[in-house]
Amino acid sequence: DTGVSQDPRHKITKRGQNVTFRCDPISEHNRLYWYRQTLGQGPEFLTYFQNEAQLEKSRLLSDRFSAERPKGSFSTLEIQRTEQGDSAMYLCASSFGRERVTYEQYFGPGTRLTVT
Amino acid sequence: QKEVEQDPGPLSVPEGAIVSLNCTYSNSAFQYFMWYRQYSRKGPELLMYTYSSGNKEDGRFTAQVDKSSKYISLFIRDSQPSDSATYLCAMCRSEKLVFGKGTKLTVNP
């Protein structure tokens, strides 16, 4: 399978715990994006990387959230001190992009987080 | 006013019907327009990608963009029960996608 993969698919955690999600993009894609989707809403942009550089972060990404993409391959999204409001589907997408040109973004299956 | 408006439905049609899904937007900076299909508890699947006004056809799907009216549409011909899903419009601005809420479609056999 050469699509975007995410791990784990489901995560249940208690409030206050830290969680980390992993995303493996399509291999030739240099851009990687994180989105969050709550029930009944479309996905909302969180952050994106071009290669290993994090180029933009949304205001939705509070200080408790951190994302990395070491070596420009897979990415991790960590949430510290989780809150019930963090419960959502976390989606990763990847694309190939050049300066001022954006191509299609392909999404992974998502990680569903439930904070109890 | 939200940047992207999409009627959440739900929309229910009989098998074989032509389905029309629409979105309006307010930001003329949007350059790329996409439609995604999302089955329950799955990630969005890219259906159509366009970057100019006009029509683009792919099998039973036709995407239409009218930049002067800030209006995009997705038409599904000969709809099938397997088309039952939530359809999300998305628009690209500065490398990030801005999504509509999604329209939940049910195609009844």
Side-chain angles (χ1 to χ4, degrees), chain A residues 34-49:
Chain A
W34 285 99
Y35 291 82
R36 180 170 69 187
Q37 186 177 25
T38 53
L39 202 60
Q41 303 295 318
E44 293 177 292
F45 170 81
L46 293 178
T47 188
Y48 93 97
F49 294 82

Side-chain angles (χ1 to χ4, degrees), chain B residues 2-98:
Chain B
K2 296 196 84 170
E3 282 189 288
V4 179
E5 298 278 3
Q6 182 176 13
D7 186 341
L11 184 62
S12 181
V13 301
E15 183 175 353
I18 296 175
V19 176
S20 172
L21 304 165
N22 312 293
C23 288
T24 59
Y25 62 95
S26 57
N27 191 337
S28 56
F30 289 132
Q31 296 176 303
Y32 303 91
F33 305 89
M34 298 163 214
W35 285 95
Y36 287 85
R37 177 174 62 195
Q38 187 173 30
Y39 294 110
S40 182
R41 296 180 175 266
K42 304 288 186 186
E45 172 193 1
L46 181 65
L47 286 176
M48 301 289 281
Y49 168 88
T50 58
Y51 57 87
S52 60
S53 285
N55 292 355
K56 180 177 180 179
E57 191 172 316
D58 184 1
R60 296 185 296 111
F61 298 92
T62 300
Q64 198 172 75
V65 174
D66 183 346
K67 287 188 175 181
S68 62
S69 302
K70 297 190 178 67
Y71 188 88
I72 71 169
S73 301
L74 178 71
F75 298 96
I76 308 174
R77 289 186 299 281
D78 187 25
S79 56
Q80 302 295 308
S82 59
D83 294 329
S84 299
T86 295
Y87 290 80
L88 296 154
C89 64
M91 308 185 188
C92 191
R93 171 175 52 79
S94 301
E95 321 310 331
K96 52 186 175 286
L97 297 182
V98 180

Side-chain angles (χ1 to χ4, degrees), chain A residues 18-45:
Chain A
N18 298 345
V19 293
T20 300
F21 310 140
R22 176 180 170 124
C23 171
D24 288 88
I26 294 170
S27 58
E28 62 267 28
H29 286 179
N30 60 343
R31 288 183 177 167
L32 186 149
Y33 308 79
W34 285 99
Y35 291 82
R36 180 170 69 187
Q37 186 177 25
T38 53
L39 202 60
Q41 303 295 318
E44 293 177 292
F45 170 81

Side-chain angles (χ1 to χ4, degrees), chain A residues 19-21 23 32-35 46-49 52-57 61-70 74-80:
Chain A
V19 293
T20 300
F21 310 140
C23 171
L32 186 149
Y33 308 79
W34 285 99
Y35 291 82
L46 293 178
T47 188
Y48 93 97
F49 294 82
E52 65 277 6
Q54 188 173 16
L55 296 188
E56 188 167 346
K57 293 194 290 186
L61 217 63
S62 76
D63 292 344
R64 297 184 296 106
F65 288 71
S66 63
E68 293 182 342
R69 193 183 182 198
F74 72 91
S75 175
T76 58
L77 177 69
E78 181 184 16
I79 310 175
Q80 296 182 325

